[in-house]
């Protein structure tokens, strides 16, 4: 049985990092053969970031489910299996919909002494806060409400299926409400799992990694909103002080990654629901890389004894050269090695499907696979096409964010197809078979069509063909 990596994404930031992770895995970035199990924790059921991520994960699953990965020489796109603890990848929180915080804690039923204590701990705004769209930057509310998740059926399902070889990773921001509160609570509940569970010892000593997102974006001023970016730094300092004592101070996690940036963009000040749909950000992709880094660490680096991590690891992410607009060359050598080939290769695949596949159905390689039929099947028309639209959105949103990440030219055509990788001059041969640009692409599709296994399913042949072709193109043009 394949070991599982349970990835808890807390709040909107958690969902966006999981989205970036899905994009990296789709492009073929290796995660050390783990099966990934995303679990989203967010009280805001209608949150736009959450719903978009769930759609992406479901489409990924549908694509992966039609493919097999028994041969290392075949397709590596969508290789990693993504599974779920329930249909919507979410850990369900009870009794918060249409509820004010004071109703949740049954304030009206308290005696006068307990009411006085609650009034000391929580402001009137806190007590009257509507929790349906989250905790609006109030970790004191979040810490009370989120403590219920250890009693949820989804958490119990996760805990009961956890095995000795599995690992856990937690994503949270530190400058809001949901993430800042949820991270330490989740660690505590895992390390102190109910001893009635047969797996409690596995959980107590589980390898746990986490990424803590310091401020990396702002929100526009809005007198009507409870969210104020001027409080982000003070909240971050308060959370770090708490983590110093209760996370790093007692060696609760085996690996803790820190990410933040002082170049920020103000998003619209939306407190939650469908309109909270922030653009993808480079740091969210970097956070996804921290998950992959954790998955690749040797088990001897992640030893836990009686709930205490031995020699915990603390890491930060840096870039090689500072720029407001990053391309591959601005990244460290190891990061370039991880990203250049898979992102370029998948984008080559995506661009052909976007611009050329509809006019290629009469080519021999297309007839051999029966492309005209494949294009009408759900695998392509419902799942892959939609996933690729989300992938393009992801790249474009990172490109127009601050700090931006724009390593690939997406506005390519038959005159500049291979001028895709910014900062890299493509190798253009004088006497290439098939001609230039899409002519060369089609020539290599015909060449690799002769190599793929014809007894495979139509979907498998299609993905094998395009993976092998784009791999050849990336090696030939850019030496990746």
């Amino acid at each position: 049985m394949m070991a599982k990596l349970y990835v808890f994404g807390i709040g909107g930031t958690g969902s966006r990092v999981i989205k970036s992770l899905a994009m990296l895995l789709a492009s073929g970035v290796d995660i050390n053969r783990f099966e990934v199990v995303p679990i989203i924790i967010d009280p805001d059921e209608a949150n736009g970031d959450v719903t978009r991520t769930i759609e992406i994960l479901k489409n990924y699953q549908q694509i992966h489910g039609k493919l097999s990965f028994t041969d290392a020489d075949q397709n590596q796109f969508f290789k990693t299996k993504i599974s779920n603890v329930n249909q919507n990848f979410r850990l369900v929180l009870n009794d918060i919909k249409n509820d004010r915080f004071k109703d949740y804690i049954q304030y009206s039923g308290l005696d006068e002494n307990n009411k006085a204590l609650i009034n000391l701990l929580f402001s009137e705004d806190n007590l009257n806060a509507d929790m349906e769209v989250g905790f609006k930057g109030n970790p004191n509310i979040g810490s009370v409400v989120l403590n219920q998740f250890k009693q949820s059926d989804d958490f119990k399902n996760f805990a009961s299926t956890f095995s000795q070889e599995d690992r856990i990773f937690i994503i949270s921001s530190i400058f809001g409400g949901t993430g800042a509160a949820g991270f330490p609570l989740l660690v505590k509940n895992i390390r102190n799992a109910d001893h009635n569970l047969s797996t409690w010892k596995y959980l107590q000593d589980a390898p746990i990694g986490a990424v803590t997102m310091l401020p990396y974006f702002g929100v526009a001023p809005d007198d009507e909103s409870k969210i104020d970016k001027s409080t982000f730094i003070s909240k971050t300092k308060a959370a770090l002080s708490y983590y110093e004592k209760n996370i790093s101070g007692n060696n609760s996690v085996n690996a803790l990654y820190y990410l933040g940036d002082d170049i920020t963009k103000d998003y619209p000040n939306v407190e939650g629901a469908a309109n909270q749909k922030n653009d993808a950000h480079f740091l969210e992709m970097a956070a996804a890389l921290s998950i992959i880094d954790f998955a690749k660490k040797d088990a001897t680096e992640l030893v836990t004894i009686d709930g205490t991590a031995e020699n915990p690891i603390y890491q930060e992410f840096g870039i090689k050269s500072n720029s407001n607009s990053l391309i591959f060359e601005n990244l460290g050598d190891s990061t370039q090695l991880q990203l250049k080939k898979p992102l370029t290769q998948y984008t080559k695949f995506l661009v052909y499907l976007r611009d050329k596949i509809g006019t290629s159905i009469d080519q021999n390689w297309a007839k051999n696979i029966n492309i005209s039929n494949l294009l009408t099947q759900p695998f392509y028309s419902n799942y892959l096409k939609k996933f690729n639209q989300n992938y393009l959105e992801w790249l474009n949103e990172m490109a127009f964010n601050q700090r931006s990440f724009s390593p690939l030219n997406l506005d390519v055509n038959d005159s500049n197809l291979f001028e895709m990788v910014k900062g890299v001059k493509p190798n253009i041969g004088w006497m290439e078979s098939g001609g230039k640009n899409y002519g060369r692409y089609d020539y290599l599709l015909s060449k690799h069509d002769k190599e793929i296994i014809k007894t495979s399913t139509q979907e498998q042949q299609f993905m094998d063909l395009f993976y092998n072709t784009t791999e050849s193109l990336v090696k030939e043009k850019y030496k990746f």
Side-chain angles (χ1 to χ4, degrees), residues 30 43 53 57 64 66 82 92 105 116 154 177 230 248 255 276 288 290 296 326 346 391 394 401 404 438 449:
D30 178 55
T53 296
L57 293 174
H64 173 90
K66 287 289 187 178
I82 292 179
V92 176
I105 61 174
D154 296 326
S230 67
S248 55
Q276 185 174 328
S290 73
K296 290 188 173 183
L326 302 175
Y346 193 86
Y391 191 96
W394 177 66
N401 216 320
S404 74
Y438 280 119
D449 176 56

Side-chain angles (χ1 to χ4, degrees), residues 394-407:
W394 177 66
L395 291 177
N396 278 313
E397 287 173 5
M398 287 194 293
F400 289 101
N401 216 320
Q402 292 181 24
R403 156 186 335 245
S404 74
F405 180 59
S406 181

Side-chain angles (χ1 to χ4, degrees), residues 341-373:
K341 180 179 180 288
L343 291 188
T344 304
Q345 194 175 338
Y346 193 86
T347 306
K348 289 285 184 197
F349 169 53
L350 178 153
V351 165
Y352 194 100
L353 301 189
R354 180 191 69 182
D355 298 339
K356 193 71 165 55
I357 193 71
T359 60
S360 299
I361 57 177
D362 290 330
Q363 296 194 50
N364 287 335
W365 65 263
K367 291 178 180 178
N368 290 341
I369 298 177
N370 195 2
I371 287 292
S372 58
N373 172 263

